Amino acid sequence: MKRLKRADPVEQLVREPALSAYQQALRDRLLAAPVMPAPDPWRSVFEYEYGAPVGGLLGIGFASHPESGHDLVMVVSHDGHGLFDAVTGEKIARDRDPDPEDSTPDAVADLTCPGLGPIADSRVRIAGLFGGGLHTTTEDGWTLEVVAPAWPNDRVLLSVDGGLPHSGPYGEQWWHIFHSHYSEFRAAGLSPSGQTIAVATSSDLSLWTRGTGNSHFDSAED
């Protein structure tokens, strides 16, 4: 009788190598960095600790107001589409019942959804649950990163030192500005203008701005 070869036990499978001393030191440095406010000239747009509540949030995208020039953030959720002014935090448009074929960005190749309100004649690229991405750097040296030293809880880092490994002083060259320990992370990024930071989870939207909102040309003067 032919004897079947016994499969190797799971314990004998090749495992991930242990972290090197350098990797462990970097992980420890990230874990030790507490959440703190973003530095000047950035300010939080919303008063709430976790931003503006948006139930069932799927993704976000950036646009520009055709009249004021303000950055706009479009939110796609299970409850429809919304549009926020990223300088004032005001929700300026809402569509609770978008067309089914345009309700989520995965229906098209470029991950876009139709705009609404003042940008109704355009489409907006959406980053989040279905993929996509947002800007991570600005022309004047700010960098935004998402790290997970204690996966699955994502942390959002803002820096002026060029990004990881963040060898400079914490609170002077890099800052841990958001910790998604309470909700599922969706997306984080900078607006194309470099004036807005947006972080989205499955339950809320957090925004930071460095624009004053006084004129169409604020972003060029700040």
Side-chain angles (χ1 to χ4, degrees):
M1 181 176 180
K2 187 175 181 180
R3 181 173 299 178
L4 297 177
K5 184 178 179 181
R6 181 176 298 176
D8 292 334
V10 174
E11 290 76 16
Q12 293 182 13
L13 295 177
V14 176
R15 297 182 178 181
E16 287 289 331
L19 295 178
S20 66
Y22 169 80
Q23 292 170 328
Q24 187 63 54
L26 176 57
R27 180 175 183 269
D28 291 343
R29 186 157 70 250
L30 295 176
L31 288 172
V35 176
M36 66 184 303
D40 290 337
W42 299 97
R43 64 173 177 84
S44 181
V45 173
F46 300 117
E47 296 180 357
Y48 315 110
E49 180 180 1
Y50 296 121
V54 181
L57 192 154
L58 302 174
I60 58 173
F62 285 108
S64 179
H65 197 293
E67 296 178 2
S68 69
H70 286 190
D71 282 341
L72 303 176
V73 178
M74 181 173 170
V75 175
V76 174
S77 74
H78 288 301
D79 293 328
H81 299 168
L83 191 68
F84 289 86
D85 184 309
V87 175
T88 67
E90 178 187 4
K91 184 184 290 186
I92 60 176
R94 185 80 164 90
D95 184 357
R96 295 184 180 277
D97 189 27
D99 291 336
E101 62 270 20
D102 284 321
S103 61
T104 58
D106 56 319
V108 293
D110 59 357
L111 294 176
T112 62
C113 284
L116 64 164
I119 56 168
D121 59 348
S122 63
R123 296 186 69 87
V124 180
R125 292 182 182 272
I126 303 298
L129 184 64
F130 299 105
L134 302 171
H135 287 256
T136 58
T137 60
T138 68
E139 291 185 355
D140 57 344
W142 293 97
T143 297
L144 197 73
E145 299 168 293
V146 179
V147 298
W151 187 88
N153 298 329
D154 293 278
R155 303 169 188 226
V156 179
L157 309 181
L158 179 66
S159 66
V160 290
D161 62 2
L164 288 171
H166 299 305
S167 56
Y170 181 67
E172 296 181 22
Q173 295 186 354
W174 63 286
W175 302 263
H176 173 197
I177 63 170
F178 187 89
H179 191 178
S180 182
H181 59 86
Y182 61 93
S183 193
E184 293 182 9
F185 176 81
R186 289 289 185 256
L190 291 148
S191 62
S193 72
Q195 299 299 300
T196 303
I197 299 169
V199 178
T201 72
S202 59
S203 61
D204 49 59
L205 170 70
S206 295
L207 298 176
W208 294 260
T209 183
R210 53 176 173 160
T212 64
N214 292 331
S215 75
H216 186 93
F217 300 101
D218 275 339
S219 61
E221 296 173 351
D222 287 349

